Every structure is written in C-alpha cells, then in structure tokens.
Amino acid sequence: MWLIAAGKAAPAMASRACAELGPCVRGGVVIGSTSFSAPEPLESVRGQHPEPGEGSEEGGRRAMRIARRAGLGEELLVLLSGGASALMALPAGGVTLEDKRRTTELLLRAGADIHALNTVRKHLSGIKGGWLAAATSASCWTLAVSDVVGDDLSVIGSGPTVADATTFLAAREVLARYGGLNAYPASVVGRVRAGVADGAAETPKPGDPRLARSKAEVIGSRYDAMRGAADEARARGFHVLVVERPIVGEARVAARIHLEEVARAAARQARPLCVVSSGETTVAVHGAGRGGRNQEFALAAVDALLPLSATAALASVGTDGIDGPTDAAGALVDSATTTRARHAGLVPEAFLADNNAYEFFERVGDLIHTGPTNTNVGDLQVLLLA
C-alpha cells in the first residue's frame, strides 16, 4: 500500500495509519502546514497555507509521483484534511504558482466561499478535481476530515480523488462575479477561456473510467466539533440547543441573522442555556484593517447580543486555531462589551467598517488564542445565556 496525506491533520492521520497498517505501507508522502517528521517509510513536505507556496508545489509533485508509482493490483490510501487545497498544489500547464497564489488571494478578499474558490482552483490544477486518482493504476481509497459545509468530497481539498461536476464555464463565472476577469492574471484568464472554448483539459467527470477504482468517505466534520462542545456544556450544567443549520454567508450579516433566530428559539428553552452552532462564513474586505471571519462575526454580534439576555456571552472560533491572517482563533463578546468599548473610546461600528476586528478585540482584551490545533472542521460558535 502507498500513502498520501495532505492537510493540517496530515501528520497525525499518517502516523495513525502507519501504526495500524505497519509494514503494509511501502512508502508515500505527508504534506502538512508545520515542520514535522513523517513516520518511516514516508517522506515529509511542509506546504503553505492559506495561499500555496513552493513547498505546496513540491508536495503536489511528490504526490503525483507516488500516484503514478502505485501500480495495478496495489492500493493507494489518501488522507485529506482542512487546508489540503493550498498545501498540495500543482499548477496546470501555462499557469505559475504565483498566478495561482494571486488568484486565491483576490478571490478570498472578494469574499468567495470555499465552493467558488475550489471551482477555480480545480481548473488551474494538475492534481485537484480528480486528477490525482486519474493518474494512478492502483485502487484508491480516500478518507477525509471535512472542513467544508455539506461535506462534499469534491470540495474537500478540491477533490483530488473524486469526480468534478464543475466546469471551466463555472470557473469563468466565479472570476467574473468576484472582481471581474480583468482583475486576474492573464495566464489564469487565458486558461479558463481556452477551457470554455474547447474543454480539452476538463477535469474528470462523474462516470469517468479512470476513477472507477477510486472510493472516498468523510470520517470527521463540523458535527463532531458541535457534539464535543455540547457534551462539555451539559457536563458543566447547561441546557443545550444545537443549531444544525450551518452558519454561512457574509460574517457580519450571518451574525445578526443567527442571533435573531436564536432569540426566538431560546425563549422556549430552560436556562442556563448553551447554544452551539458551526459553519463557515466569508468576509468581503473593503477596509484597511486586520481580522478573520470569526472576529468579524463576533464584532457584528456586539449590539445584536444585548436583547438576548442581561447576561450573555458568545465566542466564535476557527477549529484550526487560526482565524484569517492573524494569530488568534477568534474572539469573545458579552453583554458588557459595548460598555467596555465605549469607556475605552472605541466605536465597534467603525472597526467593523474598516474590517479591523483584530485591533478592536486586542484593545478590549477579548481575542481568543488557542494556537494551531493541526486540524480543521470549520468554525464553531458557542453562545451562553443565563
């Protein structure tokens, strides 16, 4: 058996697989986001995240070599986790790594969600969108820890081992919607336009015989994070309300909608109450500040929290411990945040308008720092009501 692991949890997943499979593992590569030592006989590569770097490209090339080396009658085990799209990159012909990095950056700043982002990524790649599985003659088995709402295997890690139903046309529409074609590198626009014109380099689609020996399943998701939070809350004496609906959309809008819905549901619940939710929001960057989607979610909730209870607290965090390009996992707000902010001369609305949630929470002392958790199942919100 050959093994490829990519994502923030790749070192842990690969180590466990090797412990279970022992000498059955002939070789492979582990592509993670930090420095680590892969267990024998695996190679280790440190990629970059959230934008791909040189290590990401090296990881992608090694993964493809392993896939091609695994022959008919052999097995290829692929372990995916959050961050795999950026950590395992292999630009398609005519597109440079810098082109891909710039495209990713522009899409993220424009507020593209993971589905839109990965639609483009798959059509600029030689490994995503089913190309990894198409490259091997071995039977391919993928186990994935999902960091995307809906647990769509074609989106997790940009689906390197599963069929891709998206098209070059869809990728072009994403670019047009988030900034317009002229905003992106010429090589990216040229490849997408060429793909729309002739479709010669389309990703493997459902029913493609090259993927007949490939199967995949999700082994972890946001539901596991919610279950853990709910169990801990019950152990601490809280009544628990779990919101199954994913929290998605623009962070500042989603926060207010979520709290309005919670207010209606919480009126019928016993207290003290813990409300647990999860998902993945987006941020359209218009200001010059710093922050992440969880910090922006929390900042937008400052005023919306007040009607819920005289004593309320809300935390929103990234389960990977990293919220946007910051060192915080997220932030905390409570019923007294507004008062403390005003006394400090801070106007929450002004910081929100400047996308500057990090500075706001740093100054009021309510950033949440966990450090990297080395896994990711999306974002988690926990609301406490007395």
Side-chain angles (χ1 to χ4, degrees):
M1 175 180 286
W2 298 88
L3 188 150
I4 297 169
K8 295 175 182 177
M13 293 177 76
S15 293
R16 183 63 180 176
C18 286
E20 293 291 330
L21 298 171
C24 292
V25 179
R26 296 185 57 189
V29 62
V30 184
I31 309 159
S33 59
T34 59
S35 296
F36 64 95
S37 296
E40 293 288 344
L42 306 178
E43 303 171 350
S44 62
V45 176
R46 181 178 181 178
Q48 289 74 42
H49 184 274
E51 297 170 10
E54 292 181 2
S56 306
E57 186 170 3
E58 175 61 23
R61 295 192 185 283
R62 292 199 198 185
M64 286 298 281
R65 284 201 294 267
I66 294 296
R68 293 187 178 111
R69 186 173 179 181
L72 192 64
E74 293 188 300
E75 293 182 328
L76 175 64
L77 176 62
V78 179
L79 306 174
L80 297 179
S81 54
S85 286
L87 293 168
M88 185 172 66
L90 186 61
V95 179
T96 68
L97 182 64
E98 181 56 35
D99 293 336
K100 286 194 67 176
R101 183 164 34 215
R102 177 62 177 160
T103 299
T104 300
E105 177 188 4
L106 289 169
L107 287 169
L108 288 171
R109 289 183 64 85
D113 64 19
I114 191 64
H115 296 270
L117 181 62
N118 283 1
T119 294
V120 174
R121 279 171 161 170
K122 285 185 278 192
H123 288 87
L124 303 179
S125 176
I127 194 169
K128 298 174 172 63
W131 287 121
L132 180 64
T136 188
S137 299
S139 296
C140 184
W141 183 26
T142 301
L143 300 177
V145 175
S146 173
D147 63 335
V148 301
V149 171
D151 301 337
D152 185 343
L153 283 157
S154 71
V155 180
I156 301 169
S158 296
T161 62
V162 298
D164 174 37
T166 71
T167 62
F168 274 109
L169 179 59
R172 188 182 69 180
E173 290 172 349
V174 169
L175 298 180
R177 183 163 67 250
Y178 294 101
L181 296 178
N182 291 338
Y184 294 92
S187 65
V188 169
V189 176
R191 175 174 173 80
V192 170
R193 281 177 169 159
V196 172
D198 60 33
E202 263 296 359
T203 49
K205 302 303 177 197
D208 192 308
R210 293 172 295 179
L211 303 184
R213 292 183 301 277
S214 183
K215 60 181 180 179
E217 63 180 294
V218 172
I219 60 172
S221 72
R222 68 186 183 94
Y223 295 103
D224 296 291
M226 289 198 294
R227 189 177 304 113
D231 289 347
E232 181 65 22
R234 291 188 186 98
R236 292 173 179 265
F238 285 87
H239 300 276
V240 176
L241 173 62
V242 176
V243 179
E244 297 287 342
R245 178 187 63 82
I247 307 303
V248 296
E250 180 73 16
R252 63 182 65 195
V253 176
R256 297 186 179 109
I257 293 174
H258 175 58
L259 290 179
E260 288 172 1
E261 293 177 348
V262 166
R264 292 190 291 270
R268 303 185 297 272
Q269 302 290 326
R271 306 291 176 97
L273 177 65
C274 175
V275 182
V276 179
S277 58
S278 65
E280 183 173 284
T281 59
T282 60
V283 173
V285 180
H286 302 294
R290 187 159 62 112
R293 59 180 180 256
N294 288 282
Q295 294 161 55
E296 185 139 326
F297 185 99
L299 185 54
V302 169
D303 291 333
L305 196 64
L306 296 177
L308 285 174
S309 172
T311 307
L314 168 70
S316 184
V317 296
T319 55
D320 58 356
I322 303 168
D323 187 33
T326 75
D327 60 359
L332 171 73
V333 293
D334 59 33
S335 303
T337 298
T338 298
T339 301
R340 294 199 310 275
R342 303 296 183 191
H343 286 165
L346 308 178
V347 180
E349 295 84 356
F351 284 86
L352 187 61
D354 196 34
N355 297 116
N356 203 13
Y358 185 93
E359 183 178 349
F360 176 86
F361 287 113
E362 184 177 46
R363 291 172 66 175
V364 298
D366 285 334
L367 287 170
I368 298 174
H369 290 93
T370 64
T373 64
N374 297 321
T375 192
N376 187 18
V377 289
D379 300 332
L380 181 72
Q381 297 86 30
V382 175
L383 171 65
L384 303 180
L385 300 173

